[in-house]
Amino acid sequence: MILTDENRKEVVSTLNGLIEILEDGKLGYTNAAEHVENTAIKTDFLEYARERALFIVEIQDEINRLGKSTDTAGGGPLGALHRAWIDIKASFTSSDTESIINACITGEEAAIEKYEMALKKEELEPNQIVLITKQLSSIKATLVKIKAKKMS
């Protein structure tokens, strides 16, 4: 498929929307790590934050490959979910590990929803679908790990 300027704008908007939720996740996990007492959970949260940072770079590289800059401006129709991580920061003030884990679950569910919406975009190129699918699989795996912490 040849990418028209309109399609390119749509793809860049979609990718920028993913960057927004990844930025939120990175900040969310960094905040969560600062507020939990459990060293193992703190280490895991910092690892998830590093993973989100890596995902951001991968998507920025794709935007740059399309000839666009990665300075985010709105994130398009996916931007509405962007607030999920931001809105749950209040949970972190109590240092209540269960509340923090619940907030992380909420953030990951929002990220999964946003990624699944992105994959429905017909303008995406095969390599972009592969990248988004790979990141989505990792986010889903992280969600399973976080839910397991809640059980223990």
Side-chain angles (χ1 to χ4, degrees):
M1 173 172 141
I2 297 173
L3 210 55
T4 65
D5 278 347
E6 194 55 42
N7 286 353
R8 184 174 284 115
K9 277 184 194 161
E10 184 64 30
V11 169
V12 169
S13 175
T14 297
L15 295 175
N16 275 329
L18 294 179
I19 288 173
E20 283 184 8
I21 195 94
L22 290 168
E23 287 281 359
D24 285 350
K26 182 178 77 172
L27 290 171
Y29 281 123
T30 302
N31 270 332
E34 290 171 8
H35 290 90
V36 292
E37 304 295 321
N38 182 307
T39 310
I41 293 175
K42 184 183 297 274
T43 301
D44 287 343
F45 284 165
L46 290 172
E47 181 55 38
Y48 303 151
R50 276 191 294 277
E51 181 183 59
R52 294 305 175 273
L54 173 66
F55 288 174
I56 290 165
V57 170
E58 290 175 344
I59 292 176
Q60 286 173 333
D61 287 348
E62 184 56 29
I63 291 172
N64 291 334
R65 189 188 68 74
L66 293 170
K68 300 291 179 184
S69 77
T70 51
D71 119 337
T72 56
L78 299 181
L81 292 173
H82 168 65
R83 294 291 132 227
W85 274 102
I86 302 300
D87 292 343
I88 57 182
K89 280 186 187 160
S91 307
F92 297 161
T93 55
S94 66
S95 290
D96 170 18
T97 301
E98 187 177 348
S99 296
I100 292 170
I101 288 172
N102 285 336
C104 292
I105 289 170
T106 301
E108 289 299 66
E109 287 171 344
I112 289 167
E113 186 178 340
K114 196 163 194 174
Y115 267 74
E116 288 173 344
M117 286 169 60
L119 284 170
K120 292 178 183 167
K121 298 288 183 175
E122 294 175 10
E123 298 85 1
L124 293 176
E125 297 174 349
N127 63 311
Q128 294 159 349
I129 293 169
V130 168
L131 174 64
I132 293 169
T133 302
K134 177 187 70 105
Q135 290 185 358
L136 174 59
S137 294
S138 184
I139 292 169
K140 285 180 175 178
T142 298
L143 179 59
V144 169
K145 291 177 198 165
I146 294 171
K147 284 182 173 178
K149 287 180 195 342
K150 189 176 172 177
M151 302 300 172
S152 56

